[in-house]
Amino acid sequence: MIHAGPPAEPRPLTHLVGGECVEGDSDAGDVQSNNPAHLSHPVATYRQAGLGLLGRSIEAAGSAQPAWAALGFIGRGRVLRRAAEILGRRADEVAQLMTSATLGVPG
């Protein structure tokens, strides 16, 4: 049996818009995600995206689309393969965060 130690500080999360990490909208509200095995232990906090950030996200996606399309099938495959390599190198970190947030296994 795994026993949780003292809860760590919750990880602050942001939104990725146009290649930048940005906070959500102040009028959209804040969210705290808790460890399901220990509901009093927060794992992450974030500010929700409101209409302002949604609009900004749509504009950024529209601006990026022509360059993404111009890469062609092979170029997009290279980008996705590189993303998979980065994720693979950070697999332990991602797994720890995902398990603590979904299964209640302490990180």
Side-chain angles (χ1 to χ4, degrees):
M1 179 173 192
I2 298 174
H3 296 283
E9 286 295 313
R11 178 179 289 210
L13 303 176
T14 56
H15 302 271
L16 184 63
V17 178
E20 296 178 35
C21 292
V22 296
E23 294 288 329
D25 298 312
S26 59
D27 61 344
D30 295 330
V31 175
Q32 176 175 292
S33 178
N34 295 323
N35 179 328
H38 304 281
L39 293 176
S40 62
H41 298 179
V43 211
T45 59
Y46 62 94
R47 182 164 282 166
Q48 295 185 87
L51 291 177
L53 187 55
L54 176 62
R56 210 170 133 193
S57 300
I58 291 169
E59 286 178 22
S63 295
Q65 195 282 329
W68 180 250
L71 286 175
F73 178 76
I74 301 226
R76 289 191 299 271
R78 286 183 182 131
V79 170
L80 294 174
R81 180 168 296 159
R82 177 79 175 119
E85 289 169 2
I86 292 168
L87 184 58
R89 282 198 306 272
R90 298 181 68 184
D92 289 343
E93 176 187 353
V94 171
Q96 185 177 19
L97 180 62
M98 290 180 69
T99 15
S100 65
T102 58
L103 301 176
V105 176

